[in-house]
Amino acid sequence: MSEESTTASVGSGFISGLRASGNGLLVRVSAIAAIGGLLFGYDTGVISGALLYIKGDLHAGSLAQEWIVSSLLLGAILGAIASGYLADAISRKWTKVISGTVYVIGALGCAFAVNIPMLIGFRFVLGLSVGTASFVAPLYISECAPPKVRGGLVSFNQLAVTVGILLSYLVNFAFKDVTDNWRWMLGVAVIPGAALAIGMLTVPHTPRWLMQRGREDEARGVLKRLRGTDPDADIEGEIEEIKEANRTEGSSTVRDLLKPKIRPLLWVGIGLAVFQQFVGVNTVIYYAPTILSDTGLTKSSSITQTVFVGVTNVVFTVIAVLLLDRIGRRKLLLGGTIGLTVSLLLIAVYFTTPYLQQNAPYLALVALLIYIASFAVGLGPVFWLMISEIFPTGIRSKAMSVSTVANWGANFIVAATFLSLGNLITRQGTFYLYAALGIAAVIFFAAKVPETKDRSLEDIQRELTGVADPERES
Ligand code: BGC
């Protein structure tokens, strides 16, 4: 199986590849794994609308609001770290069952929270589940999918995240005029959580995990079921490859990440992770209704307009999925990051200019839409895709987990400081700061991020480290 083929089918070939390669089980496995992405997205988005009402109901000031948003992220950092161990120790499957169950507990706890500390506590519990899902969902998918749709499924997971965000906006919209609305908004999440926990009980362990446990016959059986009638299936070839990957990975440790030849790869992963958050994407996701209501809109119409942000995010992620293997990751990444930087400047200028606020109130929404579209075609999917492509097999899951933790950590820093930064350097000052970080991101990406489309891993690693197999040579 060539490395190029792992991503070659994202886009138009993705659906037909998925159809050709399964007997229904793979489609079911993918759909259930996508619920993991949904949870990630739903929780990210739901708080934006709920916060408008929690503020008044529980008397939450700026600091309390920041903690309500960001306690989930602290939980997610911990969840992403713990899931690396859990996924090996108790299996990917059971880690996901637990993630769904914890999610249900967290959602119920939030819905029935009687005060701010209780809400913050249960948002932390939700975070444990979301952080776990963000790491284990792509891992589970990549270990079940045949090479020809594996790349597509990785980006498909990002699509599920954006659908989750959109769903949360729609739920916010549906409940906006109901009594105890924010409790419903947070509580409805019980449904996808339960669907994940129950759904995961019905799917098999991944072949890779079974092989790690020495259960080769079972692994072969699962692979046969997953490949169904796929004419390209090579069960024994895959078993051999898993053996080889397990052998190299088994001997690598977290300290190997610091080897001189691996370090440059890790910096690219961490750079993508941190910039993905430092351009402020989640301030838009979390605070879009707040930003819009600052432009003079009522709470209710801010929530309505936020739905446009969610739809744009989904639509442009679909476009990215279709384009990533045609025009390449780098062009989308650079073009998208330039686009979002320009729109950040536009938002900042809007908040600086009273004339615009009075005469062009829709400019803020337009700028937000350009921003989210630019993020969705580039940095959104490209970060998650790249971290599954740039690391050598033996060190990949550890390096991916470090990049995932860096992403949640940066997400936390941005969320925990957005409102305070607004008080300190004004709202427009904050957006100027994100724009400056956008410019830094463009420079970093242009200098450091390679094109990975249609290239083998060895080739990519040679460009980044100067050697073809950094694991062996360092
Ligand atoms: C990011 C999330 C963000 C989402 C928005 C993801 O790639 O990791 O932090 O909320 O995109 O669509």
Side-chain angles (χ1 to χ4, degrees), residues 40 44 158 162 165 276-277 282 285 313 375 380 384 407 411:
F40 176 178
T44 302
Q158 167 72 10
T162 63
I165 294 173
Q276 198 209 34
Q277 297 300 325
N282 286 308
I285 307 281
N313 196 11
F375 179 86
W384 297 102
N407 188 262
N411 194 335

Side-chain angles (χ1 to χ4, degrees), residues 102-182:
V102 170
Y103 197 88
V104 169
I105 297 169
L108 285 175
C110 287
F112 290 104
V114 291
N115 54 31
I116 294 172
M118 184 171 167
L119 186 57
I120 292 176
F122 277 104
R123 293 268 303 160
F124 178 83
V125 172
L126 275 181
L128 292 174
S129 163
V130 171
T132 305
S134 73
F135 176 72
V136 184
L139 185 69
Y140 185 89
I141 298 172
S142 68
E143 291 184 354
C144 287
K148 62 184 166 194
V149 287
R150 197 181 297 158
L153 286 174
V154 173
S155 304
F156 192 60
N157 195 55
Q158 167 72 10
L159 185 58
V161 173
T162 63
V163 171
I165 294 173
L166 176 60
L167 267 181
S168 73
Y169 287 166
L170 292 173
V171 168
N172 285 352
F173 179 72
F175 285 106
K176 69 184 164 54
D177 298 322
V178 171
T179 343
D180 279 341
N181 46 14
W182 65 268

